[in-house]
């Protein structure tokens, strides 16, 4: 997109004293005439760009607008590179590579592109997930409505929303937007969202209330679980909730923790089979007992 290219050109100019138009054309895979129009657009936006003719000429930004690379430390730049590599697992690779190239090129500090931190945000459904993220990003930039079929614990429904953000949180991808059906702000998990379409209809961006921007506040730990686990499950409790999440007793590992989603809690407990006993709440223990009896009946 033109906006991405303009930002890319601006980044290159900020990091270099002078660059040639053919270099920019090759870097952004367009012709020199397009670069010329892009430079004019940047000038109209108030960026003081100077062009030099003849041998040794090129394009530059007036002094005073140069990027002070000392603002970011080597560790900070390396962290940015690691994060961008992680995004590469769910984004178009060519775009990620160009961004990494711009960050690493001509830096005053030596930055290792072989960052030892590996972040892979992709899932088993990477191809589908990547396509959804790209579609939603485009809809947000163009302020277009999106519609989709959504599957959740209460069944399924068709939704039309004004999209605002794609969010990776709580180990899953979500789209945040204003749901026209509910007339309220909602989060939708991308892997429950199918038949996604970008609508022709445009929307006027709303002001997002401050409390709606606090995504963590949407998940309150209202269900207080007390359960006793077999000592053999110690590693799983440590892996999920940390070393200090439980107490070791003669009867086993006692876990006291809050949960947000009832269905997730029951599914998680059932995954331990006979190596856990729920002590509280009583209704959760009864529901797990009913589920266990149903499982047993399936094999009789």
């Amino acid at each position: 997109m033109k906006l991405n290219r303009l930002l890319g050109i601006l980044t290159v100019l900020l990091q270099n004293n002078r660059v040639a138009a053919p270099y920019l054309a090759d870097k952004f895979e367009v012709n020199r005439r397009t670069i010329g129009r892009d430079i004019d657009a940047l000038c109209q936006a108030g960026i003081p760009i100077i062009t030099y003719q003849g041998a040794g000429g090129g394009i530059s930004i007036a002094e005073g607008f140069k990027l002070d690379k000392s603002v970011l430390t080597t560790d900070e730049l390396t962290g940015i590179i690691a994060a961008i590599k992680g995004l590469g697992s769910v984004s178009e690779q060519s775009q990620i590579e160009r961004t990494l190239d711009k960050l690493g090129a001509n830096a005053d500090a030596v930055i290792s592109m072989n960052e030892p931190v590996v972040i892979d945000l992709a899932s088993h459904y990477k191809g589908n997930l990547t396509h959804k993220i790209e579609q939603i990003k485009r809809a947000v930039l163009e302020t277009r409505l999106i519609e989709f079929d959504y599957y959740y614990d209460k069944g399924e429904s068709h939704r039309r929303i004004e999209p605002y953000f794609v969010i990776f949180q709580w180990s899953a991808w979500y789209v945040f937007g204003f749901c026209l059906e509910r007339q309220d702000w909602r989060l939708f998990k991308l892997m429950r969202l199918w038949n996604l379409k970008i609508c022709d209809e445009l929307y006027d961006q709303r002001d997002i209330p401050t409390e709606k921007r606090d995504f963590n506040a949407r998940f309150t730990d209202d269900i207080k679980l007390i359960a006793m686990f077999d000592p053999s499950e110690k590693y799983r409790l440590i892996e999920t909730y940390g070393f200090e999440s439980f107490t070791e007793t003669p009867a086993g590992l006692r876990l006291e923790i809050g949960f947000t989603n009832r269905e997730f809690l029951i599914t998680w407990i059932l995954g331990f089979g006979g190596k856990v006993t729920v002590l509280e709440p009583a209704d959760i223990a009864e529901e797990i007992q009913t589920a266990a009896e149903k499982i047993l009946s399936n094999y009789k």
Side-chain angles (χ1 to χ4, degrees):
M1 294 178 62
K2 181 178 180 180
L3 178 60
N4 289 336
R5 190 172 64 249
L6 290 175
L7 291 173
I9 292 172
L10 181 59
T11 302
V12 172
L13 293 177
L14 286 168
Q15 290 187 332
N16 295 273
N17 291 328
R18 190 179 300 183
V19 296
Y23 170 80
L24 292 174
D26 181 65
K27 189 176 190 65
F28 294 98
E29 302 173 359
V30 295
N31 56 44
R32 292 182 60 180
R33 183 174 298 178
T34 298
I35 292 297
R37 289 196 293 266
D38 289 342
I39 296 300
D40 290 340
L42 290 172
C43 289
Q44 293 173 7
I47 307 298
I49 296 179
I50 303 172
T51 58
Y52 301 88
Q53 304 298 323
I59 304 168
S60 178
I61 294 183
E63 290 298 326
F65 279 80
K66 293 297 182 184
L67 177 64
D68 181 5
K69 281 172 279 195
S70 66
V71 172
L72 293 176
T73 66
T74 301
D75 287 343
E76 289 168 336
L77 284 170
T78 303
I80 291 172
I81 289 172
I84 291 175
K85 283 184 175 181
L87 289 176
S89 60
V90 288
S91 297
E92 295 294 335
Q93 196 63 31
S94 59
Q95 181 181 6
I96 295 297
E97 289 170 350
R98 285 197 296 270
T99 305
L100 286 172
D101 181 54
K102 293 165 196 170
L103 280 174
N106 301 312
D108 291 334
V110 177
I111 303 171
S112 172
M113 299 300 282
N114 295 319
E115 164 62 32
V117 177
V118 178
I119 305 173
D120 189 349
L121 301 178
S123 71
H124 178 68
Y125 303 98
K126 174 184 175 180
N128 185 279
L129 188 62
T130 301
H131 184 58
K132 288 177 184 176
I133 291 173
E134 294 300 327
Q135 279 187 293
I136 296 170
K137 283 168 55 180
R138 182 160 67 89
V140 172
L141 292 173
E142 297 176 1
T143 61
R144 295 186 182 276
L145 297 179
I146 61 173
E147 60 178 317
F148 49 84
D149 295 326
Y150 197 66
Y151 300 83
Y152 59 123
D153 57 348
K154 296 180 181 179
E156 57 187 82
S157 63
H158 187 78
R159 300 294 182 95
R160 283 164 56 87
I161 73 167
E162 301 169 359
Y164 284 78
F165 300 111
V166 177
I167 302 168
F168 182 81
Q169 200 163 1
W170 317 294
S171 72
W173 287 93
Y174 298 81
V175 56
F176 173 76
F178 190 82
C179 178
L180 299 181
E181 179 183 358
R182 304 297 186 187
Q183 285 296 297
D184 198 3
W185 300 93
R186 289 287 191 271
L187 276 172
F188 298 94
K189 185 176 287 189
L190 293 196
M191 292 317 302
R192 295 180 179 176
L193 179 161
W194 295 89
N195 300 320
L196 172 65
K197 296 179 182 177
I198 300 177
C199 304
D200 293 331
E201 184 179 351
L202 301 175
Y203 66 91
D204 295 324
Q205 290 195 335
R206 306 169 189 262
D207 291 329
I208 304 174
T210 302
E211 67 273 13
K212 298 295 184 179
R213 288 180 175 270
D214 185 2
F215 303 118
N216 286 312
R218 295 169 176 271
F219 292 82
T220 55
D221 298 334
D222 296 329
I223 305 174
K224 303 302 180 183
L225 172 74
I226 301 177
M228 196 69 71
F229 290 80
D230 187 275
S232 64
E233 300 305 300
K234 183 176 182 177
Y235 75 99
R236 292 179 64 183
L237 296 182
I238 292 174
E239 175 185 328
T240 307
Y241 294 110
F243 193 83
E244 298 180 353
S245 63
F246 57 88
T247 303
E248 297 191 54
T249 73
L253 308 176
R254 183 184 175 91
L255 176 73
E256 297 186 24
I257 198 167
F259 279 83
T260 298
N261 187 293
R262 182 185 182 92
E263 295 301 319
F264 172 81
L265 165 58
I266 291 172
T267 301
W268 183 69
I269 288 291
L270 287 172
F272 288 89
K275 295 185 177 182
V276 59
T277 302
V278 174
L279 304 179
E280 295 182 20
D283 61 321
I284 294 290
E286 291 173 2
E287 189 165 343
I288 290 174
Q289 180 180 348
T290 300
E293 291 171 351
K294 179 64 168 63
I295 293 172
L296 181 61
S297 69
N298 289 340
Y299 291 92
K300 287 185 177 179

